[in-house]
Amino acid sequence: MLNRVVVTIDGNEYTVVSEDAEDYIRKNAALVDQNIQDIKQATPLSSMGAAVLAAMNIADKYYKAQDATDGLRAQVKDYAEECSKLRAEIARLRRG
């Protein structure tokens, strides 16, 4: 089922059509709007410039979070391999 949600970003209304829940759509819109507002308060950029910079900031956070997630996955994999080796060693010691 598609949800149609009207959100306001930088004073403009947009209709978002998505399978995501309304609360999730509004949360995303609020993040974008807050980023734009913060940039506009701190710089003399136009709305378009602030929107582009906000998109760059959000993309930066996304890729950094993705890199951190990849690092955690690798760490969990290493721990799982170490755990497997230790279990094999325990089993060997119990037999022998």
Side-chain angles (χ1 to χ4, degrees), residues 19-43:
E19 292 181 355
D20 293 320
E22 181 177 342
D23 289 346
Y24 180 75
I25 295 167
R26 291 192 184 284
K27 184 169 115 175
N28 281 300
L31 173 69
V32 173
D33 185 59
Q34 188 61 56
N35 271 265
I36 291 171
Q37 297 312 315
D38 290 348
I39 291 166
K40 285 175 73 175
Q41 287 177 5
T43 68

Side-chain angles (χ1 to χ4, degrees), residues 7 23 25 28 35-37 44 46 48 53 55 71 73 77 80 83 87 92 95:
V7 297
D23 289 346
I25 295 167
N28 281 300
N35 271 265
I36 291 171
Q37 297 312 315
S46 66
M48 178 60 81
L53 189 54
R73 281 189 184 118
K77 181 181 175 193
C83 182
R87 285 181 185 199
R92 186 189 65 77
R95 286 191 302 268

Side-chain angles (χ1 to χ4, degrees):
M1 180 178 96
L2 292 177
N3 292 315
R4 296 177 86 72
V5 181
V6 177
V7 297
T8 303
I9 298 173
D10 195 27
N12 298 300
E13 286 190 354
Y14 299 91
T15 299
V16 178
V17 180
S18 175
E19 292 181 355
D20 293 320
E22 181 177 342
D23 289 346
Y24 180 75
I25 295 167
R26 291 192 184 284
K27 184 169 115 175
N28 281 300
L31 173 69
V32 173
D33 185 59
Q34 188 61 56
N35 271 265
I36 291 171
Q37 297 312 315
D38 290 348
I39 291 166
K40 285 175 73 175
Q41 287 177 5
T43 68
L45 290 174
S46 66
S47 289
M48 178 60 81
V52 170
L53 189 54
M56 291 295 295
N57 289 341
I58 293 167
D60 176 58
K61 289 177 185 178
Y62 168 80
Y63 284 119
K64 285 179 179 173
Q66 195 173 44
D67 288 345
T69 299
D70 291 344
L72 288 172
R73 281 189 184 118
Q75 190 175 12
V76 167
K77 181 181 175 193
D78 290 346
Y79 289 154
E81 289 172 359
E82 183 179 347
C83 182
S84 179
K85 288 176 186 176
L86 290 172
R87 285 181 185 199
E89 179 69 11
I90 289 170
R92 186 189 65 77
L93 290 171
R94 286 183 176 160
R95 286 191 302 268

